[in-house]
Amino acid sequence: MQNHETAFQVLRKILAALFIILLLLGFYYRDLISYGWMQAKGQATILLNVQDVEDVLQDPTFPDSLKARIRLIEEIKQFGVDSLGLSPSKNYTTFYNQHNKPLMWVINASERYQIKAHKWTFPIIGSFPYKGYFDSTRAIREEQELIKSGLDTDIGEASAWSTLGYLKDPILSSMLRRREGSLANLILHELTHGTLFVKNNLELNENLASFVGDLGAIRFLTQKYGSDSKQLKAYEFSKKYNDAYAQHMLRGISKLDSLYKTFSYKNPDSSRKDYLKNQVILKILNDADTLFADQITLKPKSRWTEKNVPNNAYFIGYQTYKSKQNQFRAEFETEFGQDFKKYLSYLKEKYPSL
């Protein structure tokens, strides 16, 4: 009898200890748990209010022009599987009507005197240089906390995201307003994440998805509309400027890095550092007006002044999405003869995916 009571007491102590550990973990990770719950709630709200694409296409009240865009997404998705070797999935077989409202806000953050992304770490999927919120109030609150901690921040709306195959990603109504090339780029970009996603290497993931989106969009438009089509010309027209602008921003990062190396961390005069930093950023942004000075239609209107100059976080997106484009392109063209299926197979072997 004594042994039974002793065993029971030991079990009770073990359970009590486990309970205390769980309480401590819950307290320590309360922000992560709260964030996870909020994200799950936001994602569930969307998934519980989607319609099957087939039902939308059969709906006589749904505009024919938007039905055509949905059918185009189906073609783009099939092209990605057949021609690029992307993984087949049930993504984009449902539709969610945003009613012209944004769904997700994304925060980027950087060190104040260094172009270095602040990273958030999550279980299973690893670290990210951005954080998404379905609740704009929570997003703004987090941004304010980051600013208080001394970081530069940038916040904006997300046009799409991938759940990496864990959930069935819907077509968002905002996607249907995109031009053919932009839509193809977006769909192929997100499908790439569902095909290959390397833990703790988001710069590689996003650069690869951007590379596939661009390459795939051009190939899709050429195949569907022809090499002399207005759809292809419109996409190449905008791509030319976007690529040049991205490279200009990447060169700007190098200029800022050079400036920050001259800063002495022993010097507490942050006002002087901020002045020099803002002047360089302002020059980088306004010099973009000269990228296509001979093509008036491509020349952007300068909108940056000392009152609204952005900070380091503005450049993080270009670092995350565009810094490895030349590397991928060179490898793809010289080593794989522009055979993307072979290139993708090679990447899958080289980088183990989630």
Side-chain angles (χ1 to χ4, degrees):
M1 183 66 179
Q2 182 66 34
N3 289 339
H4 175 72
E5 289 178 351
T6 303
F8 178 75
Q9 289 172 350
V10 170
L11 178 61
R12 188 170 64 179
K13 288 180 180 179
I14 292 173
L15 291 175
L18 287 173
F19 180 70
I20 292 171
I21 290 171
L22 288 173
L23 280 178
L24 290 173
L25 286 173
F27 178 78
Y28 186 77
Y29 291 108
R30 62 191 182 280
D31 290 340
L32 180 60
I33 293 171
S34 173
Y35 173 77
W37 169 253
M38 179 198 66
Q39 291 301 93
K41 182 180 177 182
Q43 190 72 60
T45 299
I46 294 172
L47 296 179
L48 290 172
N49 289 278
V50 298
Q51 298 172 269
D52 286 339
V53 159
E54 290 304 316
D55 292 338
V56 175
L57 293 176
Q58 296 299 321
D59 184 354
T61 65
F62 197 79
D64 288 340
S65 59
L66 299 184
K67 288 180 181 178
R69 277 289 187 268
I70 290 177
R71 293 191 181 96
L72 182 62
I73 289 175
E74 293 177 334
E75 289 185 55
I76 295 167
K77 180 182 172 183
Q78 195 61 49
F79 173 86
V81 174
D82 294 341
S83 298
L84 302 178
L86 300 179
S87 298
S89 72
K90 293 186 178 180
N91 287 343
Y92 309 125
T93 56
T94 58
F95 173 78
Y96 181 77
N97 192 340
Q98 298 170 244
H99 298 289
N100 295 317
K101 296 178 181 178
L103 288 179
M104 180 178 278
W105 291 262
V106 176
I107 301 172
N108 289 312
S110 172
E111 295 294 327
R112 188 172 176 182
Y113 302 121
Q114 187 179 7
I115 307 294
K116 181 181 179 182
H118 174 76
K119 293 188 178 181
W120 291 265
T121 300
F122 304 97
I124 301 175
I125 55 178
S127 299
F128 288 76
Y130 55 67
K131 190 174 183 180
Y133 278 91
F134 286 109
D135 183 341
S136 61
T137 302
R138 285 283 298 270
I140 293 171
R141 190 187 308 161
E142 167 128 0
E143 184 186 30
Q144 292 304 312
E145 290 299 319
L146 293 167
I147 292 171
K148 287 180 184 177
S149 71
L151 294 173
D152 283 356
T153 65
D154 184 56
I155 188 168
E157 298 172 13
S159 57
W161 60 90
S162 171
T163 59
L164 307 180
Y166 290 103
L167 300 172
K168 190 161 63 173
D169 300 333
I171 295 171
L172 303 176
S173 54
S174 60
M175 294 178 180
L176 306 184
R177 297 195 295 266
R178 289 175 173 260
R179 284 185 170 188
E180 294 87 350
S182 174
L183 183 59
N185 185 314
L186 176 67
I187 298 300
L188 295 172
H189 180 112
E190 299 303 337
L191 290 176
T192 301
H193 287 321
T195 301
L196 175 61
F197 195 88
V198 183
K199 186 175 181 178
N200 295 327
N201 200 339
L202 197 74
E203 196 169 298
L204 181 143
N205 293 324
E206 293 296 357
N207 268 272
L208 175 61
S210 296
F211 174 72
V212 177
D214 269 338
L215 170 77
I218 290 173
R219 290 191 174 186
F220 174 77
L221 294 172
T222 303
Q223 176 180 294
K224 181 171 176 61
Y225 301 106
S227 58
D228 198 39
S229 63
K230 64 179 183 180
Q231 291 88 350
L232 178 60
K233 288 181 177 180
Y235 183 74
E236 290 181 328
F237 186 77
S238 62
K239 182 181 182 309
K240 182 179 180 181
Y241 177 73
N242 290 335
D243 287 350
Y245 189 84
Q247 290 303 312
H248 180 71
M249 291 300 113
L250 291 172
R251 289 191 295 271
I253 289 175
S254 296
K255 293 178 181 178
L256 285 167
D257 283 340
S258 296
L259 172 68
Y260 297 148
K261 287 176 182 177
T262 69
F263 289 174
S264 170
Y265 288 97
K266 296 180 181 179
N267 184 356
D269 186 5
S270 59
S271 60
R272 176 61 179 171
K273 293 178 182 178
D274 288 338
Y275 172 78
L276 294 173
K277 165 186 172 182
N278 290 343
Q279 289 302 305
V280 172
I281 291 176
L282 194 61
K283 180 169 174 48
I284 291 167
L285 295 171
N286 287 333
D287 280 354
D289 287 0
T290 65
L291 288 174
F292 290 93
D294 59 332
Q295 300 179 42
I296 303 301
T297 53
L298 280 176
K299 184 177 178 180
K301 293 180 179 179
S302 178
R303 60 186 179 90
W304 304 106
T305 66
E306 292 185 7
K307 293 182 179 180
N308 72 345
V309 62
N311 54 42
N312 287 346
Y314 176 84
F315 296 87
I316 294 298
Y318 294 98
Q319 193 176 65
T320 303
Y321 287 82
K322 295 295 184 180
S323 60
K324 298 182 183 295
Q325 296 302 295
N326 293 336
Q327 172 189 323
F328 282 123
R329 187 175 298 107
E331 200 171 51
F332 169 67
E333 292 177 354
T334 60
E335 298 183 31
F336 294 89
Q338 301 189 43
D339 186 326
F340 189 77
K341 284 186 177 181
K342 286 184 179 179
Y343 186 41
L344 185 59
S345 296
Y346 159 78
L347 291 173
K348 284 181 176 179
E349 290 181 9
K350 183 177 180 179
Y351 301 106
S353 183
L354 284 176

